[in-house]
Amino acid sequence: MKSISKFYGLVLVLLLVSTNGAFAQAKAKKILVIGVDGIINTAIDYANTPGIDKITADASYSMNGYGGVPAYGSSGWATLLTGVSAGKHGVTQDKTFNGNKFTQYPSVVSRIKAGAPATVVASVVRTAEINTLLNQSADQKFQYNTDEEVYTKSVALLKEANMGAVFVQFSSPADVGNASGYQLRQASYVLAIQKIDEYVAGLNAAITSRPAYTNEDWNIFFVSTHGGTESGVPQSTSPEEINVPIILSGAELDNKELVGTSLAPREGADNILTLNKAPSGDRTYVRVPIKGTALQGMSKFTIETWVKAGANSSDPSIIGDKNWDSGGLPGFTICRSGNTWKINIANQASQRYDIGSSKVLEDGNWHHLAVTFDKTRTCAVYQDGVKVNESVLTYKATDVMASPYDYLCLGQDGTQTYSGGAPNWAGSYNEVRIWTDVLTTETIQKYMYLRNIESSDHPNKASLNLYLKMDDVRGTVVKDYSGKNNNGELVGSASERHPYYPIGLTDVAANILSHMGLRVDGSWGLEGTVLKSNVPYRLFKFSN
């Protein structure tokens, strides 16, 4: 046995030793980061992009990455370079970096120069403030008025023998999109993206033609800082602006498309909770104790939640506190209604209302549902920020709306035993919020995409009484972030958690630092995650 161990030990040594008898030298770590303003998430699949396709073939990537809210060029670049979202870095306005907290959350360029001062870093941009406020630590900084000038200078820099990291900004897709709309049926917009592709191919060629290329380990990161609307008018919160392509290409990265459902949930990330139907028929749901809280018998409220419906039948409760065996029983439920949904609400005198959406819910997509209720006035139903139904109410101020049950449930009714569509509603939840106030249409639309509401400037924040982000990655506690300590409990086993978005702009900085061999300090407060890397071989310790 000892002779076998020695034999394997000898083989291992031979694998690690080069042909001249010396240990193999590690390749020099280098990186090119290409940030493009204004590429929507569907553009690369639609346009002719052989240059981008080439780096994607050796990349971990998603065409549906999370750019962040608000979705502006200024905030996008701040997020990309600092590795934290707008709530931390403070850039929340279009075309300005006012309010920034870059002293507390500096650019990844500053991190590189602090951790590896010998690394030569260049920054070539269209927006001057990126160099003066974020990348001021770069050894070489250049600002130009056109993408063509940015490209020409970047190619020249990539030919310099000692160059270690190059950060490049292109902006022509945003220029065209803002003028004529971010539309794939607009030839000018598609041509702008295809021009970017030519630049990507040229930059890649400049790297591979370097005399020392075989002894270098290059990563090429290609990301869009924000998308855009079909009209070209920025809204800052629409899916077309938030969803962006993120491509991280390099030899140590897995060669795969990143899909949220196949990734493990991450601490502190934007995760979701999915409730399935157990094969055994056991119920799976979330229950929130409401006895003695402002959530019991509300006279005014706004309920918001993002949901993605699974396979359902009958009329199971999506969220509610009443006994749904009868619509005349007191309390409320938001429930399935055919392939759409409705709210049923009744007082203790069995005076009921059923107010439904006219839009399809069960189409495989995420939808934002909202209901506003003012007992003596109206009840309105919203889907994806649009008011789709409204009813005038005739309740009196003295009417009691409270259900006799002490739990508000997600996936079940207040009894926790409802059998319609049994055993529970199947689907995914994210960002469940209940306010004991009536939010305006404008407020719903403005904040429906925003995470971390508790630290935002939301005008109704004082009335927030339940905020389940669904970011929990383990255990049965579903944390309430409203500040009211109304934590939920996950009941049953047929559930799963995974990222809402597979990757985001906050992940880029963490992966830049990882590739450059720099350790992230926990005190930096970065929000990104390093992607899983391929390992060509592993060393095992053998007993002798």
Side-chain angles (χ1 to χ4, degrees), residues 223-280:
V223 301
S224 175
T225 57
H226 65 91
T229 64
E230 284 200 355
S231 67
V233 178
Q235 299 176 12
S236 83
T237 60
S238 68
E240 295 84 2
E241 296 168 291
I242 297 169
N243 293 356
V244 294
I246 299 176
I247 302 168
L248 308 185
S249 180
E252 79 267 25
L253 295 165
D254 287 336
N255 178 9
K256 66 181 180 182
E257 181 177 6
L258 301 172
V259 180
T261 53
S262 64
L263 299 176
R266 301 175 293 177
E267 294 279 1
D270 191 14
N271 299 314
I272 67 173
L273 173 67
T274 298
L275 304 181
N276 297 310
K277 294 187 176 181
S280 63

Side-chain angles (χ1 to χ4, degrees), residues 288-312:
V288 178
I290 59 173
K291 185 177 182 179
T293 74
L295 296 170
Q296 192 168 36
M298 298 176 286
S299 294
K300 289 184 179 181
F301 64 74
T302 299
I303 299 174
E304 294 182 276
T305 181
W306 282 93
V307 298
K308 182 179 181 182
N312 288 285

Side-chain angles (χ1 to χ4, degrees), residues 164-178:
V166 180
F167 292 78
V168 178
Q169 178 196 19
F170 294 125
S171 297
S172 54
D175 294 340
V176 175
N178 291 336

Side-chain angles (χ1 to χ4, degrees), residues 368-383:
H368 181 265
L369 312 185
V371 175
T372 62
F373 175 82
D374 186 338
K375 183 171 65 175
T376 60
R377 295 177 181 269
T378 60
C379 179
V381 170
Y382 295 78
Q383 185 162 327

